[in-house]
Amino acid sequence: MVNRHRKEQVTIEVTGRLDSAVASSSSIPRSVFSLPSVSILLNGKSVKKSAKVKDGDIVELEWDEEFFDGIAAEEIPLSIIYEDEAILVINKEQGMVVHPGAGVHSGTLVNALVSRYGDDFASSDDERPGIVHRLDKDTSGVMVIAKTREALNALQGEFASHSAEKHYLAIVKGTLPEMHGFIELNIERDPSDRKRYRATETTRGKSALTEYRVAKLLGPYTLVDVRLHTGRTHQIRVHMKAIGHPILGDPIYGVRDPRYPDARLMLHSHTLEIAHPVSGERMKFEAPLPERFKKFLES
């Protein structure tokens, strides 16, 4: 691990407490404000993280963060859906971590990518080379990886503007109230457990919109097609729990079912539609239904 000095400027988009408003107005996590190295300027004046801000205020932050220096190449097989000079599309297996982080130093998708494309692929100052978006460790399915800096910038712009269309399949508890519906609840980190998130109807947290369509009724469970209109951490898992239909096998937000004691998270990134970062052609990729879904549906 090595230290890197960060400096960011954020234009505030909401009114409220500074640390919460910065997290809502940018990709900077609220945890940054707990670092001893952080310094905060509000419209040019030094303030505390609890200062009040309003729409249009300018916040300047400086802090030191730790990141992984050098990512080891590991020959890890990948299930490839599509590849060209600009992008790689894979079907990520359940259990694979996307990039190194606290407590996970090897065996990640990034380790596999460095092995596949060489050290030049990881030669930038980014500890997550090529990663446009991420899937939770226990979520399987389609992911796109950028092979060039230009492709990365273009695809990150697509995901930021929500023009990339993502659909997931999930097996959730119970019967949903409607065959087609929307869940619009803000999501914030759970203050009692930093590894969890929770839905809130207040202005706290970040806005999140999830659309679902019932695909098949399965007795005590339902197979749903879920489209993400925003990309918050654990969004589908948190939203489904919030409306009383947690995902089967979810170790964080689910309820254990003695009928399926060995169930693992039944959430799969099924399709992804993007504009190709070079040609602009609209392309749709699909990850086949994984074995754990097939076995459950057959049973």
Side-chain angles (χ1 to χ4, degrees):
M1 301 285 282
V2 297
N3 286 324
R4 177 171 66 183
H5 188 71
R6 293 280 302 273
K7 185 175 182 180
E8 299 284 348
Q9 179 175 295
V10 178
T11 301
I12 298 298
E13 299 174 354
V14 296
T15 298
R17 182 179 158 119
L18 185 144
D19 53 357
S20 177
V22 168
S24 297
S25 304
S26 71
S27 60
I28 298 171
R30 198 169 176 177
S31 58
V32 163
F33 294 92
S34 298
L35 297 175
S37 61
V38 69
S39 66
I40 310 167
L41 294 179
L42 172 59
N43 299 326
K45 296 182 179 180
S46 179
V47 296
K48 295 181 178 180
K49 64 182 181 180
S50 58
K52 299 298 182 182
V53 296
K54 62 183 184 300
D55 184 22
D57 281 343
I58 304 296
V59 174
E60 296 174 77
L61 300 173
E62 289 192 53
W63 73 94
D64 293 321
E65 66 178 5
E66 291 184 329
F67 73 101
F68 287 86
D69 182 29
I71 299 170
E74 297 181 45
E75 291 189 17
I76 302 170
L78 298 175
S79 177
I80 297 173
I81 298 173
Y82 172 85
E83 183 173 14
D84 61 24
E85 293 183 354
I87 63 173
L88 171 72
V89 182
I90 67 164
N91 179 8
K92 187 187 86 68
E93 293 185 2
Q94 186 177 50
M96 173 178 270
V97 175
V98 171
H99 54 76
V104 181
H105 302 164
S106 64
T108 72
L109 172 58
V110 167
N111 294 107
L113 294 174
V114 173
S115 173
R116 186 176 178 85
Y117 299 116
D119 291 338
D120 288 345
F121 186 71
S123 63
S124 71
D125 62 356
D126 189 350
E127 67 271 28
R128 296 174 290 183
I131 300 301
V132 180
H133 62 123
R134 62 184 293 274
L135 295 177
D136 296 336
K137 173 185 175 182
D138 293 322
T139 303
S140 56
V142 63
M143 277 189 69
V144 61
I145 293 99
K147 294 172 62 177
T148 67
R149 174 59 61 179
E150 293 74 20
L152 181 64
N153 292 338
L155 288 171
Q156 285 178 336
E158 277 199 68
F159 278 80
S161 65
H162 310 302
S163 60
E165 186 169 330
K166 297 176 284 184
H167 285 260
Y168 292 70
L169 291 175
I171 295 175
V172 303
K173 185 178 180 180
T175 302
L176 280 78
E178 299 174 328
M179 296 296 287
H180 173 226
F182 292 85
I183 308 167
E184 190 168 9
L185 294 168
N186 282 17
I187 292 177
E188 64 178 357
R189 196 181 290 271
D190 189 334
S192 63
D193 185 345
R194 301 296 293 173
K195 295 181 180 179
R196 293 169 56 99
Y197 292 80
R198 66 183 186 184
T200 172
E201 294 181 346
T202 70
T203 56
R204 297 194 309 269
K206 296 182 178 180
S207 62
L209 177 61
T210 302
E211 180 182 2
Y212 70 84
R213 291 182 185 275
V214 172
K216 189 173 185 179
L217 299 176
L218 304 169
Y221 287 90
T222 301
L223 176 67
V224 291
D225 177 302
V226 182
R227 180 183 177 186
L228 284 181
H229 292 273
T230 53
R232 309 305 181 196
T233 302
H234 294 182
Q235 179 174 322
I236 297 174
R237 300 163 70 179
V238 171
H239 271 178
M240 286 300 173
K241 174 181 171 62
I243 65 170
H245 298 280
I247 298 174
L248 175 63
D250 192 330
I252 299 177
Y253 306 100
V255 178
R256 195 168 186 81
D257 188 334
R259 293 169 296 181
Y260 306 102
D262 299 324
R264 301 178 67 188
L265 182 67
M266 302 299 279
L267 180 62
H268 179 66
S269 175
H270 186 47
T271 64
L272 173 65
E273 187 173 335
I274 60 170
H276 191 279
V278 177
S279 69
E281 177 189 357
R282 198 73 182 171
M283 304 179 76
K284 184 176 182 179
F285 306 101
E286 179 177 323
L289 205 62
E291 282 301 313
R292 68 186 191 281
F293 272 74
K294 291 179 181 178
K295 289 179 179 179
F296 185 87
L297 293 174
E298 288 170 359
S299 70

